[in-house]
Amino acid sequence: MRLSKIALILLLGVATLLSVAMPTRAQTELQATLETENDFPRALIFRVEVDAPTTLTEARLYFRPEASEFWNSIPVTIEPGAHIEAEYEWFTKNQVLPPNLKLEYYWRFRDAEGNTYTTQHEWVEYLDIRFDWKRLGDEKVTIMWYDGDEAWGRAMYETARQAIDALEQELGATLDHPIRIVAYANGSDFRSAFPPQQDWIGGQAFPDMGITVQIIGAGEYDWMQRVIPHEISHLVFHQALKDALATPPAWFNEGLAMYNEPGDFGEEERSRLRNAAKNGELLSLSRLQGNFGADSHEVNLAYIQSWGMVDFLIRDCGKDGLRRIIAELNNDVTMDEALQRACGYDQATLYERWLREDLGVEPPTSPAGESEPSPTSTPNPPPESAPSSEPEPPTGLISPLLLTCIWGVCCLSILAFLSFTLAIFFWRRGRTQA
Ligand SMILES: [Zn+2]
């Protein structure tokens, strides 16, 4: 008998012995009574009542936002027994969470022998119950609003749906998770849905959770037609880059969002950029990589520059090139590498070519202006040091857009804060893959 055959027989023998010696641990699904109580914005309370064939000793609640891949896993103390009634209060009062978030949840129990029992999965919406929400949607997008009639809701829905179809085509990606747009009627309704924060925050996107919360009053048609495609661009962009580990630069994300707004950007914006270039005010490429800061003048410029670079990139490298960049970013390469592979140049070259060919100015002598801060630039102040009143309203054709931009800065700051908080939250409670 060959040695390998002997080894195989021995292995099978050991496996058989082990299977006899070790008790198998069952995983059983139990039908349970699951309930939630909405005490928005203070807390969402989860309750469960279940009967099991053995004595249960441990309980955990699992929940996740509709558009998230990852489960929050929360240990819940129980009195051991075969009949369990348990409760977990998710205290949300001090968290920046999107109102009307849709969550999937279930419970898991364990007995002393290590057998596990899971309940059925259920859904809950953590609604801002102060308002009577209407909704319209499909498998890709849901619009929620309370200010305005059905026709207004339909107009928002159609704007969103067109934007999604165009973006999926443009980015070569499909939405894996449905997205949600929550429209508040005015600033005070909007702000009261969140913990106290700066007055001038006018909208918040939560790409990780597939939801954006905006102020869109009934009949604000022009504004709605800009803000919805802009926000949807961020949400689709986030899902399109699901396999990318590196965060893409802000100029790319915000520039694309502006590029995807309907409207007549073009000569007026380019002439503003040429003026800024002539006055030596253009921001360096490095200033367009992350948070655009809180100085309204600089923020405006950062957004128009981002739009200008994306507009140039798409004219130069084509929409196919744009799709290749997204695909390359998903291969987990840097933005420079993705650009190089898709279009044959890196960010610094793109920036220099954009300055020369679109604005007719020579790039600064240092590479892409990296070491030459523009005369008006100031260090990025944290959101706390931002003005507490409305920023100076921008003027000109681009004004509503620039307001979005200022919002975008808030979104980025808040998102950074939120991501940090959530990361801590997940780690503390043991992030568990479904
Ligand atoms: Zn934005």
Side-chain angles (χ1 to χ4, degrees):
M1 197 182 280
R2 282 166 132 173
L3 204 63
S4 57
K5 262 193 176 170
I6 297 171
L8 182 66
I9 289 168
L10 280 174
L11 203 67
L12 285 171
V14 171
T16 313
L17 276 175
L18 277 176
S19 67
V20 172
M22 289 172 66
T24 49
R25 288 176 177 172
Q27 288 202 22
T28 314
E29 183 166 329
L30 288 178
Q31 278 300 309
T33 308
L34 304 186
E35 274 180 10
T36 55
E37 184 185 325
N38 184 343
D39 188 16
F40 184 93
R42 193 193 68 82
L44 180 62
I45 301 145
F46 297 85
R47 294 197 183 91
V48 62
E49 186 176 348
V50 68
D51 287 296
T54 56
T55 299
L56 304 178
T57 53
E58 290 173 32
R60 267 180 187 272
L61 168 69
Y62 292 82
F63 65 89
R64 66 175 177 186
E66 181 179 31
S68 174
E69 303 275 327
F70 299 104
W71 293 92
N72 291 289
S73 165
I74 317 272
V76 178
T77 308
I78 54 169
E79 200 60 49
H83 176 83
I84 298 292
E85 288 179 30
E87 177 179 299
Y88 173 72
E89 181 178 282
W90 186 29
F91 185 71
T92 59
K93 194 169 191 299
N94 301 322
Q95 293 188 44
V96 182
L97 274 177
N100 299 3
L101 182 63
K102 188 174 177 186
L103 297 161
E104 183 181 7
Y105 72 101
Y106 68 97
W107 290 77
R108 179 179 282 178
F109 301 95
R110 197 182 284 272
D111 66 15
E113 280 74 50
N115 301 308
T116 54
Y117 302 86
T118 49
T119 70
Q120 73 273 24
H121 290 218
E122 298 277 5
W123 292 92
V124 59
E125 285 183 310
Y126 193 24
L127 293 175
D128 183 345
I129 41 183
R130 300 168 303 159
F131 302 103
D132 188 14
W133 295 96
K134 299 180 193 131
R135 68 181 70 208
L136 186 63
D138 56 26
E139 75 287 355
K140 294 208 167 171
V141 62
T142 298
I143 308 281
M144 300 186 78
W145 79 104
Y146 58 88
D147 187 30
D149 58 13
E150 293 297 321
W152 174 241
R154 180 152 292 281
M156 288 195 281
Y157 164 73
E158 279 165 6
T159 302
R161 192 55 221 232
Q162 277 167 18
I164 291 170
D165 293 346
L167 271 156
E168 284 185 330
Q169 220 262 327
E170 184 177 297
L171 302 180
T174 49
L175 277 178
D176 290 336
H177 302 284
I179 59 183
R180 186 166 274 225
I181 296 170
V182 178
Y184 278 86
N186 53 57
S188 62
D189 285 1
F190 167 84
R191 281 187 289 277
S192 61
F194 293 97
Q197 55 191 322
Q198 287 78 20
D199 285 351
W200 55 282
I201 292 178
Q204 291 200 9
F206 300 83
D208 285 350
M209 303 186 206
I211 189 165
T212 185
V213 187
Q214 300 294 329
I215 303 165
I216 311 173
E220 292 172 8
Y221 197 80
D222 289 348
W223 171 243
M224 179 277 279
Q225 284 227 306
R226 286 194 168 217
V227 73
I228 286 183
H230 183 105
E231 292 300 314
I232 279 185
S233 177
H234 287 316
L235 298 179
V236 176
F237 184 76
H238 179 83
Q239 290 195 29
L241 289 175
K242 60 180 179 296
D243 295 324
L245 278 188
T247 307
W251 69 262
F252 190 44
N253 191 356
E254 289 300 344
L256 263 179
M258 291 181 67
Y259 182 86
N260 286 307
E261 291 181 22
D264 30 17
F265 298 126
E267 270 322 298
E268 183 167 341
E269 286 68 39
R270 262 188 276 279
S271 88
R272 283 184 71 172
L273 286 169
R274 279 190 208 103
N275 281 338
K278 216 163 50 192
N279 299 334
E281 288 178 354
L282 282 185
L283 303 172
S284 67
L285 178 59
S286 62
R287 285 278 290 104
L288 302 174
Q289 296 288 323
N291 191 326
F292 290 165
D295 176 291
S296 65
H297 178 72
E298 275 195 27
V299 167
N300 293 356
L301 199 52
Y303 275 84
I304 310 178
Q305 279 189 232
S306 300
W307 164 79
M309 283 175 68
V310 167
D311 182 57
F312 176 80
L313 176 67
I314 292 175
R315 275 183 284 122
D316 189 71
C317 189
K319 295 236 167 143
D320 274 348
L322 180 62
R323 284 187 283 273
R324 281 199 301 276
I325 295 171
I326 299 288
E328 291 295 349
L329 286 170
N330 276 319
N331 288 334
D332 205 20
V333 300
T334 63
M335 184 67 192
D336 278 326
E337 188 66 35
L339 255 177
Q340 192 76 48
R341 290 183 192 179
C343 309
Y345 42 76
D346 62 7
Q347 292 183 84
T349 309
L350 167 70
Y351 183 84
E352 287 172 11
R353 284 195 53 204
W354 168 66
L355 287 182
R356 271 201 202 97
E357 296 174 34
D358 255 12
L359 304 184
V361 294
E362 276 305 305
T365 44
S366 54
E370 295 298 343
S371 59
E372 288 288 329
S374 71
T376 56
S377 68
T378 49
N380 283 0
E384 286 72 26
S385 68
S388 61
S389 57
E390 287 288 327
E392 188 184 329
T395 53
L397 195 152
I398 206 162
S399 33
L401 187 69
L402 291 177
L403 216 51
T404 308
C405 299
I406 290 157
W407 293 6
V409 171
C410 299
C411 298
L412 284 174
S413 318
I414 297 292
L415 266 173
F417 168 74
L418 185 74
S419 308
F420 177 71
T421 312
L422 279 177
I424 297 287
F425 181 74
F426 286 150
W427 277 111
R428 277 202 181 150
R429 286 172 166 83
R431 195 170 87 174
T432 308
Q433 186 97 38

